[in-house]
């Protein structure tokens, strides 16, 4: 019995986040965003900036440097204000630092929380992002592919009023495409 409890504890700690970042909380160690990143994001979100009437472009985003492994760091960038966000979700981006250059290695157009996990693949930590409300949501796992992060697992859920359960669809990466591997009707929400 003790062995089973220990295995459960070890397995669950593997999936725990080393660091997590919520759209609702400001970064604890903000840094200045390099001009190359600001330029890239200004092009990507230029239409959304109109919703932030009273803010200067440099005040709309914030960044924090995160460690991916012993030799690799990245800028994690997200809106500093909710004017660039939807009701439950905001965009987030991660730019790897290589010398004085940066390159986009992960992005989510709409997420609630991004977590850097303890589990590693190809020398880099896996990433989990998730979000939602009581009636719908999702969870994704991203794995390092050698040049950028690739979504390898996704679970969507929504309430099914006719069946009285949560409709849960699970997808896994097969080749280059996410493929649905299950569709279940569950009484309780899946764990994030």
């Amino acid at each position: 019995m003790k062995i089973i409890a220990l295995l459960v504890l070890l397995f669950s700690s593997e999936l725990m986040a080393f660091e997590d970042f919520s759209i609702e909380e400001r970064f604890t160690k903000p840094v200045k965003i390099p001009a190359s990143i600001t330029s890239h994001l200004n092009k990507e979100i230029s239409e959304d900036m109109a919703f932030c009437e009273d803010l200067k472009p440099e005040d709309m985003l914030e960044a924090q440097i995160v460690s991916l492994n012993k030799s690799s760091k990245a800028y994690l960038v997200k809106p500093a204000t909710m004017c660039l966000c939807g009701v439950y979700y905001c965009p987030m981006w991660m730019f790897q630092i290589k010398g004085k250059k940066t390159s986009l290695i992960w992005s989510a157009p709409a997420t609630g929380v991004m977590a850097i996990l303890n589990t590693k693949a190809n020398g880099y930590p896996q990433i989990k992002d998730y979000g939602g409300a009581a009636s719908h949501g999702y969870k994704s796992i991203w794995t390092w592919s050698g040049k950028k992060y690739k979504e390898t697992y996704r679970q969507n859920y929504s309430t099914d009023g006719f069946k009285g359960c949560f409709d849960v669809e699970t997808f896994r990466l097969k080749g280059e495409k996410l493929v649905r591997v299950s569709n279940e009707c569950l009484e309780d929400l899946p764990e994030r």
Side-chain angles (χ1 to χ4, degrees):
M1 188 65 165
K2 290 180 183 178
I3 293 174
I4 292 172
L6 182 59
L7 288 173
V8 169
L9 181 64
L10 286 173
F11 180 73
S12 62
S13 68
E14 272 297 297
L15 297 177
M16 291 177 53
F18 172 67
E19 277 186 290
D20 63 337
F21 304 94
S22 170
I23 61 168
E24 297 174 356
E25 298 171 9
R26 297 295 302 256
F27 284 138
T28 56
K29 299 173 188 166
V31 295
K32 187 176 190 288
I33 301 172
S36 61
I37 293 175
T38 304
S39 175
H40 175 92
L41 294 178
N42 283 344
K43 292 174 192 167
E44 187 173 322
I45 61 172
S46 61
E47 290 179 19
D48 296 329
M49 290 177 156
F51 295 110
C52 304
E53 297 171 351
D54 299 331
L55 292 174
K56 299 175 189 168
E58 61 270 16
D59 295 332
M60 294 180 198
L61 300 168
E62 65 177 341
Q64 181 166 317
I65 293 178
V66 295
S67 179
L68 300 175
N69 59 31
K70 289 180 182 178
S71 62
S72 185
K73 295 188 183 309
Y75 287 96
L76 180 61
V77 183
K78 68 180 187 72
T81 175
M82 296 302 281
C83 68
L84 293 172
C85 303
V87 176
Y88 303 108
Y89 305 106
C90 288
M92 278 194 197
W93 306 267
M94 187 182 294
F95 293 84
Q96 188 173 26
I97 303 167
K98 288 190 175 184
K100 293 189 178 199
K101 294 185 177 185
T102 60
S103 59
L104 182 65
I105 59 170
W106 176 82
S107 66
T111 189
V113 175
M114 181 272 216
I116 298 173
L117 301 177
N118 286 328
T119 54
K120 293 194 182 281
N122 302 318
Y124 282 71
Q126 288 185 304
I127 292 174
K128 175 171 67 171
D129 81 290
Y130 59 92
S135 63
H136 67 279
Y138 79 97
K139 169 178 71 175
S140 289
I141 302 292
W142 300 75
T143 303
W144 183 251
S145 71
K147 293 184 179 182
K148 63 180 183 172
Y149 279 93
K150 186 169 220 154
E151 190 175 24
T152 55
Y153 174 88
R154 183 172 189 85
Q155 191 173 63
N156 298 327
Y157 69 87
S158 60
T159 54
D160 186 326
F162 295 112
K163 294 179 184 175
C165 64
F166 289 98
D167 182 33
V168 179
E169 289 182 296
T170 302
F171 300 82
R172 292 198 184 273
L173 187 65
K174 303 265 182 174
E176 292 294 313
K177 190 174 181 184
L178 281 176
V179 176
R180 184 168 70 178
V181 294
S182 69
N183 191 2
E184 303 172 284
C185 194
L186 303 175
E187 289 185 30
D188 295 316
L189 273 175
E191 285 187 40
R192 288 189 183 165

